[in-house]
């Protein structure tokens, strides 16, 4: 049991968790409302879907340059500015009178997203003592997990009842509340030494833990999203799940994502190697079971739930690894590169899943994901863990 955290530290963590909730909800919201958005602008879902791809690639491409430009700002001012840009992008999305305007607003949101996920983990851990850092990271991860459980379904209900524009307005409203709340409770954090410079990048990347983290980000995200991006048609057409059963399974997957953050907060400090191994090895095993489990519904549901837990556990573990391996000034930049590469992996996994499904091999998509996850496992075992033993 962790010692109690003073309210002056816990209250800002609540604000960061709420912010993580709205950022994650917003990222995937267009997926749930794609048909309605397409109808509004006289386009097909395939034509409108470019806004989802563009969002991911803007985050991937802009994370590092935006963080380098913003790293000299005082932390609290930077956090509030990012939330303000995010809220403005949501309002712009709701007011868009053309698809081009909607795309421009989503690009603004993606830029805010790129910076937010670069600074959230470093800021959360700076709010607390070292012994509470796993708890601080798990708070942020909990906000993300809750978005997967409740954010998307609630957003879809609002969009269907009141129109898709109202969903974006609601996200903007929650964001503005979070901005005002954090403006009140978030402390002013010291800069902590000289600001990060582009000249420091080569040394940062040469750090074996940082470089290894980047490799694992790409391979893990590619393997996981090869499977996850097509989990709905897999459950429906291969496993024969009803629409209601698919919805229940996806919600339960999000719930188990929350359990992943709980496992991290209790295990990372004393069982670091277990947390590191779970990502590559866990997804490899689950992906291999994914195909065979399609014939037995309870087994397939169990595999999906474990995958959801592993995803959150891996993400938070990798952020913790970056924070312990970089300086205070370098941590946001390293996290921004990680976030960008993870989004590259998301795009790669989604594209690979689309290719596999389009070629008529959807029943074998788990085997494809397993092959890539095996790369994550091998790198962790033969490269990353030996560095842990050598330097830590």
């Amino acid at each position: 049991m962790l010692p109690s955290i003073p309210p002056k530290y816990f209250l800002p963590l609540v604000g960061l968790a709420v912010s993580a909730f709205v950022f994650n909800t917003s990222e995937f919201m267009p997926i749930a409302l794609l048909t309605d958005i397409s109808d509004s602008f006289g386009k097909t879902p395939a034509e409108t879907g470019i806004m989802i791809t563009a969002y991911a690639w803007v985050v991937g491409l802009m994370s590092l340059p935006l963080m380098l430009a913003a790293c000299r700002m005082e932390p609290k001012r930077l956090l509030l500015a990012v939330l303000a840009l995010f809220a403005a992008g949501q309002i712009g999305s709701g007011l868009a009178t053309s698809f081009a305007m909607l795309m421009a607003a989503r690009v603004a949101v993606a830029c805010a997203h790129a910076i937010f996920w670069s600074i959230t983990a470093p800021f959360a851990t700076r709010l607390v003592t070292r012994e509470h850092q796993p708890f601080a990271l798990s708070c942020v991860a909990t906000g993300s997990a809750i978005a997967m459980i409740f954010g998307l379904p609630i957003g879809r209900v609002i969009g269907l009842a009141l129109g898709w524009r109202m969903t974006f307005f609601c996200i903007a409203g929650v964001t503005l509340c979070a901005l005002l709340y954090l403006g009140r409770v978030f402390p002013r954090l010291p800069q902590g030494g000289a600001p990060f410079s582009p000249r420091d990048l080569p040394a940062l990347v040469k750090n074996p833990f940082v470089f290894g983290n980047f490799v694992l980000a790409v391979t893990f995200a590619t393997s996981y999203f090869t499977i996850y991006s097509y989990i709905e048609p897999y459950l429906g057409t291969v496993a024969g799940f009803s629409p209601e059963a698919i919805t229940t399974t996806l919600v339960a997957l999000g719930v188990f994502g929350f359990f992943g953050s709980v496992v991290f907060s209790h295990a990372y400090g004393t069982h670091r190697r277990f947390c590191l191994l779970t990502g590559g090895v866990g997804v490899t095993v689950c992906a291999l079971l994914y195909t065979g489990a399609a014939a037995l519904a309870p087994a397939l549901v169990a595999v999906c739930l474990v995958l959801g837990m592993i995803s959150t556990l891996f993400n938070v573990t990798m952020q913790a690894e970056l924070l312990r391996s970089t300086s205070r000034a370098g941590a946001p930049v390293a996290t921004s590169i990680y976030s960008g590469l993870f989004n590259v992996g998301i795009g790669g996994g989604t594209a690979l899943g689309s290719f596999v499904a389009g070629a008529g091999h959807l029943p074998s998509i788990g085997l494809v994901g397993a092959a890539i996850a095996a790369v994550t496992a091998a790198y962790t075992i033969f490269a990353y863990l030996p560095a842990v033993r050598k330097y830590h």
Side-chain angles (χ1 to χ4, degrees):
M1 180 69 68
L2 289 171
S4 60
I5 299 178
K8 68 176 181 177
Y9 301 134
F10 180 73
L11 293 178
L13 288 177
V14 172
L16 290 178
V18 172
S19 300
F21 170 84
V22 292
F23 270 81
N24 256 28
T25 297
S26 171
E27 180 177 10
F28 298 107
M29 186 58 66
I31 296 175
L33 300 171
L34 197 58
T35 300
D36 290 345
I37 295 173
S38 302
D39 292 343
S40 296
F41 297 114
K43 294 181 175 293
T44 66
E47 293 172 330
T48 309
I50 184 121
M51 65 187 292
I52 301 169
T53 303
Y55 188 102
W57 284 109
V58 168
V59 173
L61 293 173
M62 297 303 294
S63 289
L64 178 58
L66 286 175
M67 196 60 243
L68 288 174
C71 64
R72 294 178 181 273
M73 289 183 65
E74 188 271 326
K76 180 176 181 178
R77 181 178 300 178
L78 175 59
L79 175 62
L80 298 182
V82 168
L83 289 173
L85 175 61
F86 182 80
Q90 301 298 341
I91 294 172
S93 298
L95 294 174
T97 56
S98 69
F99 185 67
M101 289 180 61
L102 178 60
M103 282 289 293
R106 290 297 291 174
V107 167
V109 172
C111 289
H113 177 116
I115 301 178
F116 178 80
W117 289 113
S118 301
I119 63 177
T120 304
F123 286 6
T125 55
R126 288 176 61 183
L127 288 170
V128 298
T129 61
R130 185 176 181 83
E131 65 178 328
H132 290 107
Q133 287 182 358
F135 175 79
L137 289 173
S138 71
C139 284
V140 176
T142 296
S144 298
I146 292 176
M148 300 301 291
I149 303 168
F150 299 113
L152 294 185
I154 292 174
R156 179 168 172 77
V157 168
I158 294 173
L160 293 178
L162 303 175
W164 62 266
R165 297 177 187 277
M166 186 57 65
T167 300
F168 289 110
F169 289 141
C170 289
I171 293 175
V174 176
T175 304
L176 290 173
C177 290
L179 189 156
L180 294 174
Y181 174 81
L182 286 169
R184 177 68 177 173
V185 303
F186 198 87
R188 293 196 175 275
L189 301 174
Q191 289 282 10
F196 191 90
S197 166
R199 293 189 299 272
D200 301 322
L201 273 176
L204 179 69
V205 176
K206 288 179 181 178
N207 182 319
F209 294 104
V210 175
F211 178 79
N213 199 295
F214 295 162
V215 172
L216 294 174
V218 175
T219 58
F220 179 89
T222 303
S223 64
Y224 182 81
F225 281 92
T226 296
I227 299 170
Y228 182 76
S229 59
Y230 279 81
I231 191 172
E232 183 179 9
Y234 185 89
L235 293 177
T237 62
V238 178
F241 280 31
S242 67
E244 294 77 14
I246 294 173
T247 300
T248 302
T249 301
L250 293 178
V251 170
L253 188 152
V255 171
F256 269 69
F258 164 75
F259 287 135
S261 69
V262 174
V263 171
F264 169 83
S265 66
H266 287 84
Y268 181 74
T270 55
H271 301 286
R272 179 185 176 194
R273 288 177 175 80
F274 164 79
C275 293
L276 289 169
L277 281 170
T278 300
V281 175
V283 171
T284 302
V285 172
C286 288
L288 288 172
L289 294 173
Y290 195 66
T291 301
L296 186 61
L300 182 58
V301 170
V303 169
C304 292
L305 299 188
V306 175
L307 276 172
M309 184 170 64
I310 290 173
S311 175
T312 301
L313 177 59
F314 173 87
N315 251 315
V316 192
T317 297
M318 288 297 101
Q319 291 181 52
E321 289 291 296
L322 279 179
L323 295 176
R324 72 185 296 164
S325 305
T326 55
S327 66
R328 177 174 290 182
V333 176
T335 307
S336 74
I337 299 174
Y338 171 86
S339 176
L341 290 174
F342 197 88
N343 274 273
V344 169
I346 291 175
T350 302
L352 182 57
S354 175
F355 174 79
V356 172
H361 300 302
L362 182 60
S364 301
I365 201 168
L367 300 179
V368 178
I372 304 170
V375 177
T376 306
Y379 191 91
T380 302
I381 294 170
F382 298 112
Y384 199 91
L385 285 178
V388 170
R389 287 190 291 268
K390 181 177 180 180
Y391 295 105
H392 290 172

